[in-house]
Amino acid sequence: MSDIAIRVDHLSKLYHIGRAQQRHDTLRDAIADVRRKMEDGLRRRRDLPSSFSDLPSDTDLWALKDVSFEVQRGEVVGVIGRNGAGKSTLLKILSRITEPTSGRAEIHGRVGSLLEVGTGFHPELTGRENIYLNGAILGMKRREIEAKFDEIVAFAAIERFLDTPVKRYSSGMYVRLAFAVAAHLEPEILLVDEVLAVGDAQFQKKCLGKMGDVARGGRTVLFVSHNMGAITQLCPNSLLLRFGIMAALDRSDRVVQAYLGERGYGQPDVQLDPASQPDSAAVFTRCWICATDGTPISSVTVDSPISVGLQILVRKPVVGVELSVRVYNSHGEPLFTTNLSSHARELASFLPGEYIFFVELPAHFLAPDRYSLHVGIHRPFAEILDAHDHLLTFSIEESGSDMWQYLHGSYGNILVQFPWKHSLPKVQKSFLLDPIPQ
């Protein structure tokens, strides 16, 4: 048996944007259109140019471009990249949900996919029936499913609703059951997209623990996530996609560093195009890291303060909005979030115009390391107006402290200025009063 579980060879996927579905008034028109599409497809496969830039770009979008890699049996590989990089398209092709435009993807083994909330569920069937249905789709025998049934139900915590049609489930119940089925029915290859964000924090922790068990169990896993901490913890190696192109395939810590440091992320001053979100009432137009005098900088010493500058464009009056800055460490783990309301004591409202805000991070607060920022404008529990993940990076440098000499810079992440108290030691009274011998 081959040691290759997944082989992707020059895989490409083309989407046509904004083309209206053609209406056929007669059977002859429909047949002619099918023939034309078949001829176009054959021509694309035969004459696909080596340079994708030669193709029209006004209505064509290459979600994947000439991607090639192999995954060994029992290997756990992370897939990371910004939104629109092609991660979900890759998993949909591997799951046989969509066909590639060119190239091929080989899967050697039984595949379980968790790509969206409730993927593969029939809404009219109950949770119990969908567990058996998904097991049958994976080619499992009834006794194999029954052996895992109680474990699946307990993990998903849906005992009370087991015989309720899943169309009445909340999104949280959906994702709990979907993950439990995918992880416990033991496919040889597990494809997991970023769906864990739907669950609460406790369930996400539970899922990551199960993912660790799956990884240690020798099954092949392709794991798409924006949680860099989970990627580095679960996946020895990772694949980085950038605009549909495979930019890196290496050790996860190296790939995460490349992801956080790619263009647009490692700049101390980033200009954002408001036209990219024409319908949003408020958008960011500029974000930058700066010294206290407003000069853009990319690094400071641990004993210097650093500020985050935010410029927003408000197109129409907005009420009850929140501005947020979240700081991540070099592993992509969120350290803390600071909100405008924590300073202003209430949610903000703006009239149309441009506004500039500064958030100062004090000296001796962040330990020496590399950090990245997420910025967002949102109406709490209602609407995200604009958000950018890992938009900027900056570094805090060691200044030569005594701690560096004996701990080699191993501070942790945050230097917390807690109050310290002390008291005099308890001593004998005679010791304090007896005169010093002459």
Side-chain angles (χ1 to χ4, degrees):
M1 182 181 291
S2 171
D3 289 333
I4 302 297
I6 301 173
R7 178 181 284 116
V8 172
D9 186 26
H10 299 289
L11 193 68
S12 300
K13 178 62 179 180
L14 173 68
Y15 286 106
H16 300 292
I17 303 173
R19 296 187 182 178
Q21 185 71 28
Q22 184 176 355
R23 179 179 177 181
H24 306 297
D25 295 326
T26 66
L27 178 61
R28 179 178 179 180
D29 293 337
I31 294 174
D33 184 59
V34 169
R35 179 179 177 181
R36 178 184 57 78
K37 290 180 178 178
M38 292 176 63
E39 291 175 347
D40 289 345
L42 290 172
R43 185 162 38 285
R44 281 199 304 269
R45 284 171 168 77
R46 183 177 63 248
D47 302 327
L48 191 68
S50 57
S51 172
F52 289 92
S53 61
D54 295 337
L55 293 167
S57 59
D58 54 344
T59 59
D60 292 342
L61 172 65
W62 287 99
L64 293 173
K65 299 180 183 179
D66 199 30
V67 174
S68 298
F69 64 91
E70 293 180 348
V71 178
Q72 303 289 324
R73 291 187 184 276
E75 191 175 2
V76 182
V77 177
V79 181
I80 63 178
R82 302 178 73 172
N83 291 332
K87 306 182 298 297
S88 297
T89 299
L90 173 62
L91 262 60
K92 286 179 180 179
I93 292 175
L94 294 175
S95 301
R96 303 295 189 254
I97 293 175
T98 186
E99 289 290 325
T101 302
S102 65
R104 57 186 301 176
E106 299 178 7
I107 300 289
H108 302 281
R110 190 167 61 191
V111 178
S113 301
L114 185 55
L115 307 184
E116 297 175 356
V117 176
T119 297
F121 282 3
H122 192 295
E124 299 295 335
L125 299 181
T126 66
R128 182 190 305 274
E129 292 165 339
N130 271 292
I131 292 173
Y132 282 98
L133 174 62
N134 275 258
I137 292 173
L138 287 174
M140 300 182 69
K141 294 182 173 59
R142 185 178 182 86
R143 63 175 178 272
E144 293 180 272
I145 304 172
E146 289 174 344
K148 294 286 183 179
F149 186 86
D150 291 341
E151 191 176 351
I152 292 171
V153 174
F155 187 94
I158 59 160
E159 293 90 340
R160 292 180 56 194
F161 310 100
L162 189 59
D163 295 307
T164 300
V166 297
K167 68 180 181 180
R168 298 195 175 95
Y169 282 15
S170 68
S171 59
M173 294 166 62
Y174 243 114
V175 76
R176 291 203 304 270
L177 182 58
F179 184 89
V181 170
H184 287 82
L185 290 185
E186 297 188 350
E188 296 165 323
I189 300 171
L190 182 60
L191 308 178
V192 182
D193 204 345
E194 182 70 278
V195 297
L196 304 187
V198 179
D200 56 27
Q202 182 179 2
F203 181 70
Q204 290 180 35
K205 183 177 180 180
K206 192 175 179 181
C207 288
L208 291 176
K210 184 60 181 178
M211 286 288 295
D213 295 339
V214 170
R216 290 185 291 271
R219 280 183 277 171
T220 306
V221 181
L222 218 56
F223 180 44
V224 170
S225 181
H226 288 287
N227 185 334
M228 298 299 107
I231 288 288
T232 54
Q233 179 184 353
L234 298 175
C235 310
N237 298 307
S238 290
L239 165 70
L240 173 61
L241 290 175
R242 186 181 298 145
F243 302 111
I245 300 172
M246 191 177 78
L249 177 57
D250 201 345
R251 261 177 27 198
S252 288
D253 57 344
R254 295 175 180 172
V255 175
V256 167
Q257 289 289 349
Y259 169 59
L260 296 178
E262 63 185 19
R263 185 178 180 183
Y265 285 49
Q267 302 297 320
D269 191 347
V270 172
Q271 303 283 339
L272 299 165
D273 183 9
S276 63
Q277 298 197 64
D279 300 325
S280 181
V283 294
F284 290 102
T285 56
R286 183 189 176 201
C287 299
W288 68 103
I289 304 293
C290 57
T292 52
D293 62 358
T295 304
I297 54 175
S298 58
S299 65
V300 296
T301 58
V302 69
D303 50 9
S304 300
I306 192 170
S307 293
V308 180
L310 305 173
Q311 182 172 315
I312 66 171
L313 170 64
V314 178
R315 294 190 174 104
K316 56 186 178 181
V318 290
V319 177
V321 296
E322 181 75 280
L323 270 68
S324 300
V325 173
R326 182 170 297 153
V327 177
Y328 295 80
N329 65 12
S330 58
H331 299 294
E333 300 164 332
L335 297 183
F336 65 89
T337 302
T338 177
N339 298 321
L340 176 63
S341 63
S342 61
H343 169 74
R345 305 290 182 180
E346 60 183 8
L347 295 174
S349 299
F350 300 104
L351 294 174
E354 284 200 331
Y355 299 82
I356 295 178
F357 296 87
F358 289 96
V359 181
E360 182 176 303
L361 308 182
H364 301 112
F365 175 65
L366 290 175
D369 198 356
R370 186 178 184 181
Y371 299 91
S372 61
L373 292 181
H374 169 99
V375 297
I377 310 172
H378 63 100
R379 291 190 180 93
F381 310 107
E383 178 185 15
I384 296 176
L385 301 178
D386 195 10
H388 300 274
D389 206 12
H390 301 294
L391 180 67
L392 303 170
T393 60
F394 65 96
S395 60
I396 303 294
E397 305 294 340
E398 174 57 48
S399 58
S401 67
D402 291 337
M403 186 179 291
W404 172 263
Q405 296 177 22
Y406 69 88
L407 289 180
H408 304 290
S410 182
Y411 295 81
N413 290 120
I414 296 178
L415 307 178
V416 184
Q417 303 302 315
F418 291 127
W420 285 56
K421 297 181 180 181
H422 65 85
S423 62
L424 290 173
K426 293 182 179 179
V427 295
Q428 294 181 1
K429 184 177 180 181
S430 61
F431 178 81
L432 293 175
L433 297 180
D434 288 346
I436 299 174
Q438 297 298 322

